[in-house]
Amino acid sequence: MADIPALAILLGNMMETISYNTDLIGRAMSNDLKGLCDDLAVLKASIKHYPEWQKDKGAIKNLENEIRDVVFEAENAIDTYILHASNQRHRGFLARAFHTTESASVLRSLGKRIAQVRAQVQNIQRSDLPSIGLDALQFDEISYMRTKKQTPLFGADKVIGFVDSAKDVIELLTGRSQRQSDQLEVISIVGMPGIGKTTLARKVLSDPMIDYEFFTKVFVHVSQDWERKDVFLSILTSFTRIDEAMNRMSDDALADEVRQRLKYKYLIVIDDLWSNDAWDKLKSAFPDNKKGSRVLITTRNVAVAHYANTKNEPYYLGFLSPEESRELLRYKVFDGNNCPEELQAYEAKILDRCAGLPLAIVVVAGILRNNSKATHWWMSVAENVHDYVAKNDELGNDVIRRSYNHLPYNLKPCFLYFGVFPEYFEIPAWKLIRLWISEGFIEHQRFMNMEDVAEFYLQELVDRSLVMIGQKRSDGRIKTCRMNNMLQDFCKKQAVEENIFREIKRFDESTSAPYSSSHNARRLCIHPHNLEHIKVKPTGDYVRSFLSFAKEQIQLPQEHISFIPKAFKLLKVLDIGSIIFSRFPAEFFYLLLLKYIAISCHFKVFPGKLSTLLNLQTIIIDTSLRALEIKADIWKMPQLRHLHTNCSTSIPKGNWAFVGD
């Protein structure tokens, strides 16, 4: 069930939109909008800590749906009018005169809709919601963030446990205790979901003995939803930069390219292999070069392991020992320090019920971490662990849901947003932070800029063991991050329930079925291998974000791209870096509400008309050329915070005071 406090962010975003665009809406609406803002501020303060007193889950669900409908209705009405008013402002004198009657009609319609929304909000206020002061709450949050930010998570990259298992697998790969075969061999690690197969494989791959034995080492994820081409391209990134020519190659040609690169003794780790068919489609790329090369597979399916290697038994990964379990829990909760004596009885009870399953221990540790010294909290978790920890496939979702339910309201949409990225995608932290801000997930704080708040949120999710650090910067800050596939699956399902986003995965060319559910969606993310089906031209009256992330890029005819402004008129976030543009689509200038745009291109000049998009906060341009000229007068774009390019860029001279906060 969704949590009502997350709706406080929606309310805050709408109030911000009204504040930024009062001049466009006009004086006639100023009093009604001010009244609506006041009503929403009271409602926002009231629901911020709603679950602390409301125990009736049915009442929570009903109230949640009512508030969401009210906020979405108001947001749709206001954004639609702002778009209309912006278009009217950009028209010439005669065109404005011609559309005067239409504008008056739209304004009257907005007035009626706002009056209806105010009545609904006031009706909600008359319920028994308690009133909570916003200023004090925000100050407490900021103080906590400042304190927490100075104490980064200790040893975030350390791997706990699997010492004996790592030795066993390394022995299987190197054959140190017996004569090693020069022929290509396949070794499999088998275990249930959440038991640590991927962690063990990474630990093995980073071992010095493996460095010594194998000239080439590659780690590649497959998972249930995979594409043969993506796997081969991922392997090739270990050898070379993927260019446009490679992106256009067929699967078989890429397999041949991989074979040619694997000349010396190699170790390929194929993580999360689900089926025999997947192995059949991949194995041709791995040559037997008679140098003792190995392929290491992780899978939850014993049959797949036996199919990949009929001669040898797979390695069955067991549960953590009691000592390893205790070390892992203390590492995650106390940064490796000892557990206080008064909590050790509860610690033992929790570990007993986690039954040595790493995922259970890690996620439960995330629940305990921010109340690490509170005896009553440990008692509560210890008593309830048995409700959601068991040795079966349902474990993951049960544990993750409990951890999700204990997240603060402001972290929930940020956590669920990880579901928009492809599985095992290495996410640049800077880009994630820009997206969170543009999506409206980061609230304004009185003494911190939004980027610092977002970075704190990310560190919080890492500290709660819900997000993994990929790489760190030289100053210790997070450079890239990723998410466990079980957690990401939860994010995708929960996001649909809360209308955070919808994912378009598969497509039937004879219908537009994947888009049929997008009518009420606020955000759409589309898998890269479905981009070719954009020619169906989906529509979504209320879509605010259109996202597509991929390791490879494709080039689509211009006519299949121009539909975006027509189909998604209220778009605020557009990240389609997986599509290459030969010119900047002129149709994008109609997206007057746009806050964030990320595109890939082959053109040399970024047009001056871009400066008419006054709501833009972030511009990201990835070009294949060495230089880019930006003709847009970015200094006249009052909300622009970030401009990212991957090449030498010239911009108009201006006053720096116009940029940033």
Side-chain angles (χ1 to χ4, degrees):
M1 184 187 69
D3 192 2
I4 281 187
L7 293 173
I9 294 177
L10 294 175
L11 296 175
N13 290 339
M14 196 175 72
M15 292 163 61
E16 181 181 277
T17 299
I18 293 171
S19 174
Y20 281 160
N21 295 281
T22 301
D23 61 323
L24 276 176
I25 296 171
R27 294 182 180 179
M29 290 299 301
S30 60
N31 291 334
D32 283 343
L33 289 175
K34 184 179 183 302
L36 178 60
C37 283
D38 292 341
D39 293 341
L40 291 174
V42 173
L43 186 57
K44 177 182 176 182
S46 299
I47 70 173
K48 202 169 187 179
H49 289 266
Y50 185 78
E52 293 182 4
W53 65 273
Q54 175 58 268
K55 305 300 182 184
D56 185 345
K57 292 184 178 180
I60 292 177
K61 188 66 178 178
N62 292 336
L63 183 61
E64 168 206 332
N65 292 334
E66 185 178 1
I67 294 174
R68 181 186 288 118
D69 290 345
V70 166
V71 174
F72 282 172
E73 171 64 20
E75 184 184 41
N76 291 337
I78 293 169
D79 283 352
T80 300
Y81 182 78
I82 290 172
L83 182 63
H84 175 83
S86 297
N87 284 325
Q88 179 73 346
R89 174 177 286 183
H90 286 90
R91 289 175 177 136
F93 175 78
L94 292 178
R96 282 201 302 271
F98 180 78
H99 288 89
T100 298
T101 303
E102 178 190 357
S103 295
S105 175
V106 172
L107 186 60
R108 285 194 299 271
S109 176
L110 173 64
K112 291 179 181 178
R113 293 173 75 178
I114 293 303
Q116 293 170 353
V117 170
R118 284 201 68 187
Q120 290 175 282
V121 171
Q122 290 168 0
N123 182 59
I124 294 173
Q125 289 174 6
R126 285 193 291 268
S127 66
D128 55 350
L129 293 175
S131 179
I132 300 174
L134 280 174
D135 290 342
L137 287 171
Q138 289 180 346
F139 182 79
D140 289 344
E141 288 172 4
I142 294 166
S143 300
Y144 171 65
M145 282 190 271
R146 285 182 164 176
T147 303
K148 187 78 179 289
K149 196 172 182 180
Q150 296 169 359
T151 56
L153 183 64
F154 167 79
D157 300 316
K158 186 178 178 182
V159 177
I160 302 296
F162 303 115
V163 175
D164 292 336
S165 296
K167 289 180 181 178
D168 293 341
V169 174
I170 290 171
E171 170 63 27
L172 290 172
L173 292 170
T174 61
R176 285 276 175 160
S177 63
Q178 54 188 347
R179 186 176 180 276
Q180 184 182 14
S181 170
D182 288 335
Q183 292 183 326
L184 175 66
E185 290 187 359
V186 178
I187 309 297
S188 297
I189 301 173
V190 176
M192 64 175 288
I195 203 166
K197 300 183 294 296
T198 301
T199 301
L200 174 59
R202 287 187 178 277
K203 184 180 180 74
V204 167
L205 199 65
S206 63
D207 190 275
M209 186 178 294
I210 296 298
D211 281 334
Y212 176 79
E213 286 285 339
F214 295 95
F215 183 83
T216 300
K217 302 187 307 177
V218 178
F219 190 100
V220 61
H221 297 281
V222 179
S223 77
Q224 192 171 15
D225 184 24
W226 72 290
E227 292 292 322
R228 188 171 183 239
K229 183 175 183 178
D230 292 342
V231 173
F232 293 151
L233 286 171
S234 180
I235 294 173
L236 288 169
T237 57
S238 300
F239 300 97
T240 185
R241 184 178 182 273
I242 304 300
D243 56 22
E244 190 175 345
M246 279 189 175
N247 278 322
R248 290 199 299 264
M249 291 170 67
S250 67
D251 295 1
D252 290 337
L254 287 171
D256 186 59
E257 187 73 22
V258 171
R259 279 194 300 272
Q260 293 180 34
R261 301 278 181 171
L262 297 176
K263 298 177 181 178
Y264 306 104
K265 186 176 182 180
Y266 64 83
L267 171 61
I268 305 290
V269 178
I270 302 178
D271 186 44
D272 202 14
L273 191 69
W274 276 70
S275 67
N276 297 345
D277 180 64
W279 173 243
D280 284 337
K281 291 179 178 178
L282 293 175
K283 64 183 181 181
S284 62
F286 310 130
D288 186 357
N289 54 20
K290 309 299 182 183
K291 298 181 184 295
S293 298
R294 299 289 183 264
V295 175
L296 178 63
I297 292 172
T298 73
T299 181
R300 62 187 68 182
N301 191 333
V302 178
V304 172
H306 283 299
Y307 183 80
N309 186 338
T310 58
K311 297 179 180 179
N312 300 320
E313 278 292 305
Y315 182 82
Y316 293 94
L317 181 59
F319 297 95
L320 294 178
S321 68
E323 293 75 18
E324 290 174 328
S325 297
R326 184 166 54 251
E327 183 184 2
L328 178 59
L329 184 70
R330 292 184 179 185
Y331 168 72
K332 291 293 184 180
V333 177
F334 302 110
D335 297 334
N337 297 318
N338 289 329
C339 176
E341 186 175 350
E342 65 272 16
L343 300 178
Q344 289 181 9
Y346 302 117
E347 177 193 48
K349 195 172 186 178
I350 289 170
L351 290 174
D352 180 63
R353 290 175 173 174
C354 285
L357 191 67
L359 178 64
I361 296 170
V362 166
V363 179
V364 169
I367 298 173
L368 293 169
R369 183 174 175 83
N370 285 334
N371 294 278
S372 59
K373 301 296 177 64
T375 303
H376 72 280
W377 187 246
W378 280 73
M379 183 188 304
S380 173
V381 173
E383 289 301 322
N384 290 286
V385 166
H386 68 276
D387 291 335
Y388 58 92
V389 175
K391 296 179 183 178
N392 56 58
D393 288 349
E394 296 299 319
L395 167 70
N397 277 339
D398 291 338
V399 175
I400 294 166
R401 179 167 294 281
R402 182 172 175 86
S403 187
Y404 173 74
N405 288 340
H406 283 88
L407 281 177
Y409 80 96
N410 48 352
L411 290 184
K412 288 187 174 182
C414 296
F415 170 65
L416 295 181
Y417 199 73
F418 276 87
V420 305
F421 297 97
E423 283 188 342
Y424 305 111
F425 192 77
E426 196 85 356
I427 307 166
W430 67 265
K431 186 168 192 175
L432 178 66
I433 286 170
R434 309 292 185 260
L435 281 165
W436 280 351
I437 292 172
S438 298
E439 294 284 11
F441 296 159
I442 308 301
E443 293 184 290
H444 286 284
Q445 302 289 359
R446 194 173 299 171
F447 304 110
M448 293 179 69
N449 67 46
M450 297 176 77
E451 286 76 11
D452 286 344
V453 175
E455 190 172 358
F456 168 79
Y457 285 4
L458 178 57
Q459 185 64 56
E460 268 289 284
L461 292 173
V462 170
D463 291 353
R464 292 170 181 267
S465 302
L466 295 174
V467 174
M468 296 180 287
I469 296 176
Q471 301 177 49
K472 287 186 176 181
R473 300 186 183 278
S474 57
D475 60 2
R477 295 161 63 195
I478 300 172
K479 182 177 181 180
T480 65
C481 57
R482 61 182 183 272
M483 180 173 277
N484 174 282
N485 64 329
M486 292 182 70
L487 286 161
Q488 197 170 34
D489 286 343
F490 173 86
C491 288
K492 292 176 181 179
K493 293 174 184 176
Q494 190 69 21
V496 172
E497 183 177 328
E498 299 196 28
N499 203 10
I500 298 292
F501 68 85
R502 290 185 183 274
E503 178 189 33
I504 299 172
K505 296 179 65 175
R506 295 294 178 189
F507 190 88
D508 179 358
E509 291 192 52
S510 63
T511 69
S512 58
Y515 304 110
S516 61
S517 61
S518 67
H519 177 69
N520 293 317
R522 315 300 280 189
R523 300 171 185 87
L524 292 180
C525 60
I526 182 168
H527 278 220
H529 48 274
N530 280 321
L531 283 174
E532 61 188 81
H533 301 299
I534 280 180
K535 61 187 178 183
V536 174
K537 299 181 180 179
T539 60
D541 293 339
Y542 306 125
V543 170
R544 298 308 200 277
S545 302
F546 191 79
L547 311 161
S548 176
F549 304 100
K551 295 178 181 177
E552 60 176 297
Q553 295 176 320
I554 65 171
Q555 191 159 7
L556 293 178
Q558 195 67 28
E559 61 268 21
H560 296 328
I561 300 300
S562 60
F563 83 92
I564 291 178
K566 298 176 183 177
F568 311 127
K569 295 179 180 180
L570 303 181
L571 208 62
K572 295 185 178 181
V573 174
L574 179 63
D575 195 319
I576 46 176
S578 55
I579 301 175
I580 302 172
F581 293 90
S582 57
R583 65 174 180 84
F584 189 86
E587 296 85 357
F588 285 4
F589 296 128
Y590 293 104
L591 297 173
L592 298 176
L593 301 180
L594 205 61
K595 292 184 176 182
Y596 172 109
I597 184 170
I599 63 172
S600 299
C601 64
H602 287 326
F603 50 80
K604 297 180 179 179
V605 178
F606 218 62
K609 197 174 179 181
L610 187 74
S611 56
T612 62
L613 301 179
L614 299 180
N615 289 301
L616 268 178
Q617 298 175 349
T618 297
I619 302 172
I620 302 174
I621 310 165
D622 187 4
T623 177
S624 58
L625 304 178
R626 293 185 177 182
L628 180 71
E629 180 184 0
I630 296 180
K631 289 190 173 182
D633 192 350
I634 62 173
W635 314 110
K636 293 183 179 179
M637 302 171 72
Q639 295 195 51
L640 187 64
R641 304 173 71 88
H642 305 284
L643 172 62
H644 295 265
T645 68
N646 65 336
C647 66
S648 174
T649 305
S650 63
I651 57 177
K653 294 181 179 180
N655 186 343
W656 284 93
F658 284 107
V659 176
D661 293 325

